[in-house]
Amino acid sequence: MKLIFDINGGDNKAEIIKGAIDASNEFNKEIILVGREDFIKENLQGLDYDKDKVEIVDASENIENNEEPVLALRKKKESSIVKAMTLLKEKKAQALISAGSTGALLGGGIFIVGRIKGIKRGVLPTLIPGLKSNTLVIDSGANMDTSPELLEEFAILGDVFLREYYKIENPKIGLLNVGVEEGKGNALYKEAYQRLKESDLNFVGNVEAREIMDNDVDLLVCDGFDGNVLLKSIEGVVEFATKSLFHGIATSDLDDKSKKAFTDFLMNKFKKLDAKEVGGTILLGIDGNIIKAHGNSDARAIKNAAKYAIDIVESNIVDKIKDKVEK
């Protein structure tokens, strides 16, 4: 198995290189680093790795988050995303990990790698841990503007993904909304509700944002705008709660032994809420294994994204989704 890493994308390019090398060493995989060759070679100095397992592909350009994705993909042929996507399309590797522009990844996935037959859009599924069970949010940031038909398609993709990858037999599907009653929400969500209600999916109704981490819904459907706001709100609350608790312990009258015990306990509990522990998520609906990592990913997050990518490849999830969706 060979993995491609987009080095030009993301906020911490040197960390992406380190994370890729850590993944190659720990998981014993060949890797392709796509980015500015001089920058990559400079940052490889001092790192311990098997040179026979590392290939460098020079890419002088990068597609920034503020650029129009489709136009940038056409103009910037020397960008790391275009070159990395082309390598994936040509089967030079089995998966691509990128912390770059979500729009460019989505556009490149559709126009370079290609969609699964019958699927109109790619979506980002993100797993949120809960008290009763985990909930998969689709879409979590790939599609800002959608339609009721697309939301139903997202639900179908999520249903297949949960069945085939997470082995959940009959996933419970909810629709993110401002109230649990039927008829709540804007025109988009009202029509989407009716479509999901009339489908063959196991649709259980609307779910409010405050209930997400304390319910037994397996899949939460929403557009990419709402999904991304939801996830970043959860991340912000978790970060605030973590810092507040640790500060409270540090400034308390507890003895050092008790402080350490409480700190270790909290770190273990909050670990599963740390996005860097997961590393990334697959771009579903694309005929290839594209893993989107967080824009501010450090080396640990990139290594964990690579671990997830390896698991995705080994599970053969894309071909399973193709079979199910085409049927």
Side-chain angles (χ1 to χ4, degrees):
M1 189 190 299
K2 189 177 287 189
L3 304 175
I4 305 166
F5 291 85
D6 169 19
I7 305 303
N8 290 355
D11 302 329
N12 307 309
K13 297 171 178 55
E15 286 286 300
I16 295 171
I17 295 171
K18 186 178 184 304
I21 294 298
D22 289 344
S24 177
N25 291 339
E26 184 168 333
F27 309 129
N28 192 27
K29 301 299 178 187
E30 294 182 41
I31 62 174
I32 304 175
L33 306 178
V34 184
R36 296 179 179 88
E37 187 172 3
D38 55 347
F39 179 82
I40 293 172
K41 287 182 176 179
E42 180 184 342
N43 282 273
L44 285 175
Q45 293 178 16
L47 297 180
D48 183 23
Y49 65 97
D50 184 347
K51 292 179 174 58
D52 292 333
K53 291 183 178 177
V54 179
E55 178 184 349
I56 299 173
V57 173
D58 185 44
S60 59
E61 297 177 306
N62 182 42
I63 297 177
E64 305 293 344
N65 288 322
N66 60 356
E67 294 185 79
E68 201 287 312
V70 176
L71 183 61
L73 287 166
R74 290 174 181 167
K75 289 176 62 179
K76 293 187 171 181
K77 300 299 183 185
E78 291 297 310
S79 67
S80 54
I81 284 183
V82 169
K83 288 199 168 185
M85 291 278 184
T86 303
L87 289 170
L88 187 66
K89 175 69 174 179
E90 294 173 350
K91 310 295 184 186
K92 299 293 175 62
Q94 284 67 52
L96 162 63
I97 296 101
S98 175
S101 162
T102 301
L105 277 179
L106 178 61
I110 291 173
F111 297 114
I112 298 174
V113 180
R115 295 170 293 175
I116 290 174
K117 184 180 178 181
I119 296 298
K120 295 177 181 177
R121 297 278 186 91
V123 292
L124 288 170
T126 300
L127 201 64
I128 296 179
L131 293 174
K132 298 175 183 176
S133 62
N134 296 331
T135 300
L136 193 71
V137 176
I138 290 183
D139 181 17
S140 62
N143 300 276
M144 298 295 115
D145 298 299
T146 61
S147 66
E149 293 83 3
L150 284 173
L151 289 181
E152 184 180 15
E153 180 179 287
F154 298 171
I156 293 169
L157 272 173
D159 180 77
V160 175
F161 187 54
L162 286 168
R163 290 174 186 269
E164 298 298 330
Y165 185 71
Y166 290 102
K167 307 303 180 185
I168 298 175
E169 205 166 293
N170 189 26
K172 294 179 182 177
I173 300 172
L175 183 67
L176 180 64
N177 215 320
V178 296
V180 297
E181 302 86 0
E182 183 175 349
K184 286 284 187 176
N186 56 22
L188 170 65
Y189 282 89
K190 286 178 182 178
E191 188 174 339
Y193 185 103
Q194 293 304 315
R195 294 183 72 93
L196 291 171
K197 182 180 177 181
E198 295 166 8
S199 73
D200 294 330
L201 299 166
N202 184 16
F203 179 59
V204 297
N206 290 325
V207 178
E208 292 186 23
R210 63 183 176 184
E211 300 172 343
I212 290 167
M213 302 180 81
D214 189 23
N215 71 86
D216 57 358
V217 172
D218 301 302
L219 176 66
L220 186 69
V221 178
C222 56
D223 63 29
F225 181 89
D226 293 335
N228 197 260
V229 170
L230 171 69
L231 292 180
K232 287 177 179 175
S233 297
I234 291 174
E235 287 175 5
V237 169
V238 169
E239 184 178 356
F240 172 76
T242 305
K243 288 179 179 178
S244 296
L245 286 169
F246 286 158
H247 177 72
I249 293 170
T251 56
S252 70
D253 295 330
L254 294 170
D255 59 77
D256 290 343
K257 185 178 179 180
S258 298
K259 286 181 180 180
K260 186 179 185 307
F262 275 115
T263 299
D264 291 346
F265 173 78
L266 289 173
M267 286 183 68
N268 183 58
K269 287 297 180 183
F270 281 116
K271 189 175 181 180
K272 67 178 183 177
L273 295 172
D274 186 355
K276 292 176 181 178
E277 281 297 308
V278 178
T281 186
I282 187 173
L283 188 56
L284 280 181
I286 304 302
D287 194 7
N289 299 299
I290 300 171
I291 309 302
K292 174 67 175 81
H294 206 291
N296 66 354
S297 293
D298 59 11
R300 176 169 64 98
I302 293 297
K303 187 189 75 171
N304 286 330
K307 181 181 179 181
Y308 174 79
I310 292 166
D311 193 38
I312 286 289
V313 173
E314 290 178 344
S315 69
N316 201 28
I317 191 64
V318 170
D319 285 339
K320 289 177 181 177
I321 290 174
K322 283 169 68 176
D323 290 342
K324 293 284 185 179
V325 170
E326 286 175 9
K327 286 178 182 178

